Amino acid sequence: MKLTSLIKWLIRAKYLTFYIIFFGSQVSLASTVLFDDTPQNGTSLWSTSSSKSSLTQADDPVADGSIAIAMKAHNWTQSGLRIAKIPPYKDTILEAKIFRVSGSKGTLMFRRGKNSLKINLDESNSEFWTLNGQPGHSDYIDNKWHKIQIHLKHFDLNEGENVLALGIQGPQGTGTFYMDSVSFIESEPDISTSPPISGDWVVSFEEEFDSNVLDPSYWHVGKQYLGMSGIAGNAGGENIDVEAGMLTLKAERSNLEQGSKSYKYKGAEVSTFRKFKQQYGYFEARIKHESTHGAWPAFWLLPDKGIYGNNSYRRQALLKFDLNDVHEAAYSAILRFKISEATNKSSIAIHKTLTTDWSEDTVTWNTKPKIDPAWFVQRYGETTGNIIEVDVTDYIRDQQIAGKEASFALVDNYMRKQLVEVFSTETNNLNDRPILIVNENNIVATDDAYVRGGEYSDENYGEYSSLLVKDVWGDTSSTFGKGMEFDIMEYLGTWGEGVSWSALHWDGYGSKHISKDSGELYLNSSDNGFHVYGMHWEPNYVAMYIDGDKVWEFESERVGSLPSYIILSLQVGGWDGNSSNIDDDFFTNMLVDYVKVWKKPEYD
């Protein structure tokens, strides 16, 4: 067996001690034992009120070794293992084995922090803990040992914050559980330090989703255009969440109207269009998705020729409102503005800006605030005289708490090439001016302006009676010629668990369309459901990787050679029967832990 293969096998098999002995200088995986036959490393048995935590007796169940912890709790009391330790690793998992006696009730939980905050482990946070390697749940088999893993970083522990205890909370009545083999373990490195191919690699893109919003320097909702493949519409910010170092895309059965199109399903899609593109290199993402009938998650690339049209015609509008005169917490907040001129082919999206320190007297394209990529709403086909109203209550409430103004951007993101004009505060008719209605009180904008790109990037447009919005068209993402669609990972819910698929598409999607695919690729087991999907792309060559192993390759002079941008999608439908017989309560998600790209200087 080759050394690299042996290393990968040892990691998957979790023979960490053996691995550290032989390869300790290369690997940082580690563990801290908290209970193994006895409490260790300063831990102790723990219980509250009339509950009880004790060491097992002769006939009690034990998972490993000879002794476990017997836990009894009732009437909301708690018992388990007192830990009182700061998680020792940058990315720590709290692991234990749990046994529930038949007929017992009770909730798995842990406590944290100075205030001993209790976190119940249940379906509401199942993506952040696992039971036997699957998303956490309470419907597990009694009288049998199960392994739980709590990924602590996703519960937003502050730096230096203790994990105080792990155990059960009792119900009305009595719950009897057993616990064994409790440890802090270092998570397998979430982010690869280098591709699985030797070479002079340099990191060119890295995103760990550490903020609570999509980073506008990296991400754009949708692709060059908003539409998605399949039977769902892109619901934008409504189905996109960034929290606790994770991007979550959601898909669900829910009606969505976008211009003349009606959808019965909502999905989500983000990309690096106009933000990042690269020709050749290694592209990688760590992803987890559910095997729900109807789900169509994907990690893929499309070409980008850099043809975006004349930037001098591109315009965006800004609005700002002072909230100081709102003396109670917002229970209702509506942004209202009126279209002064537009055709039925128009496109306009309403976003929040990430900063509010701009002025209508000085703002320009070059100094405009960053805009949250996830819009409140996207509207197509709004025409002259239409009034647009947007519910922004949650955002206004957040701004009140932060003591900040409310700031919005009106944008066309999707190259519709249509000028939209909106009445500003300078228009003569007071009823046409934009307002923010908070708790039924009208607030007039303190600042509004539009900005213009290209040769007008340093010009200020803060004194006009209309705010202008426009994007321009560029045929930049064709798969003809040197272009190619690279599907690094895609999956259909009808395939069942443990399967992936890779494919290449070129020469459009009509009669000249050509494709090559890997067929079904079977995944190795994963304790937490995540897998690392990668693509190695060189001139005339492409290879797909899963968890560091090459699973498919394609060599041809037709391999795409245009710089390409990254897309993360959660679509609905596809083929193989995945568009039909979908449950009425359909809901699924896709979690992305990180995206990382490397390049070789020789291809700069």
Side-chain angles (χ1 to χ4, degrees):
M1 183 183 289
K2 292 183 179 180
L3 179 62
T4 53
S5 298
L6 174 62
I7 289 172
K8 292 171 186 173
W9 178 80
L10 287 166
I11 290 175
R12 292 195 190 104
K14 299 293 187 291
Y15 292 130
L16 300 180
T17 303
F18 179 85
Y19 183 73
I20 290 168
I21 290 172
F22 282 87
F23 307 102
S25 63
Q26 300 179 39
V27 177
S28 60
L29 299 179
S31 66
T32 301
V33 176
L34 303 174
F35 182 89
D36 183 9
D37 285 345
T38 62
Q40 298 190 25
N41 287 305
T43 64
S44 60
L45 301 181
W46 164 79
S47 60
T48 65
S49 188
S50 57
S51 63
K52 184 177 180 181
S53 181
S54 61
L55 299 178
T56 54
Q57 302 300 310
D59 295 330
D60 290 336
V62 174
D64 302 304
S66 57
I67 298 174
I69 303 172
M71 303 179 293
K72 293 188 177 182
H74 59 91
N75 295 330
W76 315 117
T77 62
Q78 297 152 27
S79 66
L81 182 70
R82 177 177 172 79
I83 297 173
K85 289 186 175 300
I86 297 171
Y89 314 115
K90 181 179 179 180
D91 188 2
T92 301
I93 290 174
L94 178 56
E95 179 178 281
K97 292 183 178 178
I98 295 292
F99 183 107
R100 181 175 61 191
V101 174
S102 179
S104 292
K105 303 294 182 182
T107 304
L108 300 173
M109 61 90 203
F110 73 99
R111 286 192 172 275
R112 53 178 276 199
K114 293 180 180 179
N115 297 322
S116 192
L117 177 66
K118 179 173 65 70
I119 308 293
N120 289 336
L121 300 174
D122 53 30
E123 284 75 1
S124 69
N125 48 33
S126 61
E127 67 268 38
F128 302 145
W129 68 285
T130 62
L131 189 138
N132 301 328
Q134 300 300 314
H137 60 90
S138 57
D139 188 23
Y140 52 92
I141 299 173
D142 290 341
N143 299 328
K144 181 178 179 179
W145 285 101
H146 304 273
K147 182 169 73 173
I148 64 169
Q149 289 189 320
I150 307 167
H151 208 155
L152 294 173
K153 82 171 186 179
H154 297 310
F155 287 92
D156 290 332
L157 270 71
N158 297 317
E159 185 175 354
E161 185 176 350
N162 276 336
V163 173
L164 297 178
L166 173 66
I168 62 165
Q169 175 173 286
Q172 295 288 344
T174 300
T176 302
F177 289 68
Y178 295 89
M179 184 164 65
D180 202 352
S181 301
V182 185
S183 297
F184 283 136
I185 63 173
E186 184 178 25
S187 175
E188 293 182 23
D190 282 351
I191 300 183
S192 303
T193 56
S194 64
I197 308 101
S198 62
D200 184 18
W201 295 105
V202 177
V203 174
S204 53
F205 180 93
E206 186 170 9
E207 168 67 299
E208 300 181 44
F209 303 106
D210 287 335
S211 179
N212 60 355
V213 295
L214 280 175
D215 187 335
S217 301
Y218 292 163
W219 299 106
H220 165 84
V221 173
K223 302 183 287 294
Q224 175 185 4
Y225 47 90
L226 180 60
M228 299 195 302
S229 299
I231 57 176
N234 189 344
E238 184 179 347
N239 283 44
I240 299 169
D241 187 38
V242 182
E243 186 178 8
M246 196 78 65
L247 167 67
T248 301
L249 304 180
K250 304 171 187 176
E252 60 189 324
R253 187 181 183 101
S254 181
N255 292 332
L256 177 65
E257 302 289 333
Q258 285 183 337
S260 60
K261 294 184 178 181
S262 299
Y263 300 94
K264 293 182 179 179
Y265 297 90
K266 293 178 180 177
E269 184 171 76
V270 299
S271 77
T272 63
F273 180 61
R274 289 198 208 171
K275 312 291 184 177
F276 172 82
K277 60 181 179 178
Q278 182 171 301
Q279 177 192 42
Y280 307 132
Y282 191 82
F283 298 74
E284 181 178 280
R286 186 169 183 262
I287 296 172
K288 174 181 178 179
H289 61 77
E290 298 174 333
S291 55
T292 309
H293 184 170
W296 183 4
F299 166 39
W300 51 306
L301 274 61
L302 277 177
D304 186 351
K305 302 174 188 176
I307 302 173
Y308 306 137
N310 189 336
N311 202 41
S312 295
Y313 292 104
R314 191 166 282 115
R315 301 168 177 87
Q316 298 176 350
L318 299 167
L319 295 164
K320 186 163 65 173
F321 299 86
D322 189 343
L323 303 177
N324 285 332
D325 291 335
V326 181
H327 301 300
E328 59 179 336
Y331 58 80
S332 172
I334 302 295
L335 175 65
R336 182 184 185 275
F337 60 90
K338 187 175 181 179
I339 303 294
S340 61
E341 188 171 342
T343 73
N344 60 7
K345 295 181 179 180
S346 67
S347 169
I348 189 168
I350 297 86
H351 303 245
K352 67 181 179 184
T353 69
L354 299 183
T355 56
T356 62
D357 55 348
W358 59 272
S359 165
E360 71 175 9
D361 298 326
T362 59
V363 67
T364 68
W365 185 275
N366 287 335
T367 64
K368 66 180 179 176
K370 288 187 176 181
I371 299 171
D372 185 349
W375 25 259
F376 293 109
V377 295
Q378 163 70 35
R379 295 289 184 86
Y380 284 128
E382 297 289 348
T383 57
T384 301
N386 284 10
I387 293 174
I388 297 178
E389 294 187 342
V390 185
D391 187 339
V392 293
T393 305
D394 290 342
Y395 167 63
I396 296 302
R397 197 177 292 129
D398 290 342
Q399 294 302 94
Q400 284 183 298
I401 293 171
K404 296 181 179 180
E405 298 152 304
S407 176
F408 303 93
L410 312 181
V411 180
D412 174 14
N413 297 298
Y414 305 111
M415 292 188 161
R416 299 285 283 197
K417 202 177 178 180
Q418 297 292 315
L419 182 66
V420 179
E421 299 187 27
V422 174
F423 286 112
S424 77
T425 54
E426 277 74 25
T427 193
N428 292 326
N429 188 340
L430 296 178
N431 293 327
D432 290 338
R433 295 177 180 180
I435 57 173
L436 181 66
I437 309 169
V438 182
N439 300 346
E440 302 178 10
N441 296 310
N442 293 350
I443 302 174
V444 178
T446 57
D447 295 81
D448 62 357
Y450 74 89
V451 295
R452 187 170 180 178
E455 61 184 289
Y456 305 98
S457 294
D458 291 320
E459 299 293 326
N460 171 256
Y461 300 91
E463 297 183 354
Y464 289 82
S465 59
S466 289
L467 306 173
L468 308 186
V469 177
K470 185 177 182 179
D471 200 4
V472 290
W473 166 252
D475 185 14
T476 193
S477 198
S478 169
T479 62
F480 284 100
K482 298 179 180 180
M484 176 172 276
E485 174 186 324
F486 299 91
D487 295 334
I488 303 171
M489 180 282 290
E490 63 180 331
Y491 168 83
L492 299 181
T494 51
W495 293 345
E497 296 182 358
V499 181
S500 185
W501 180 280
S502 296
L504 307 171
H505 301 264
W506 64 92
D507 289 349
Y509 300 95
S511 60
K512 296 182 179 180
H513 168 253
I514 302 174
S515 67
K516 296 289 182 182
D517 65 72
S518 64
E520 292 186 351
L521 302 169
Y522 295 94
L523 308 178
N524 292 323
S525 61
S526 165
D527 282 345
N528 53 25
F530 279 94
H531 292 280
V532 177
Y533 301 92
M535 182 182 77
H536 178 205
W537 177 21
E538 301 271 356
N540 306 323
Y541 176 80
V542 63
M544 303 300 181
Y545 286 74
I546 300 177
D547 297 329
D549 292 327
K550 183 164 65 176
V551 294
W552 182 59
E553 62 183 350
F554 178 74
E555 191 168 0
S556 168
E557 292 182 356
R558 184 53 186 85
V559 169
S561 57
L562 289 177
S564 298
Y565 64 94
I566 300 164
I567 307 162
L568 299 167
S569 300
L570 184 52
Q571 305 161 131
V572 180
W575 64 100
D576 276 358
N578 203 46
S579 297
S580 58
N581 300 317
I582 300 174
D583 288 345
D584 290 342
D585 59 353
F586 170 78
F587 180 88
T588 190
N589 59 33
M590 167 179 164
L591 279 66
V592 185
D593 188 24
Y594 72 83
V595 181
K596 193 168 183 178
V597 183
W598 293 263
K599 65 179 181 180
K600 289 183 177 179
E602 64 196 85
Y603 295 129
D604 279 350

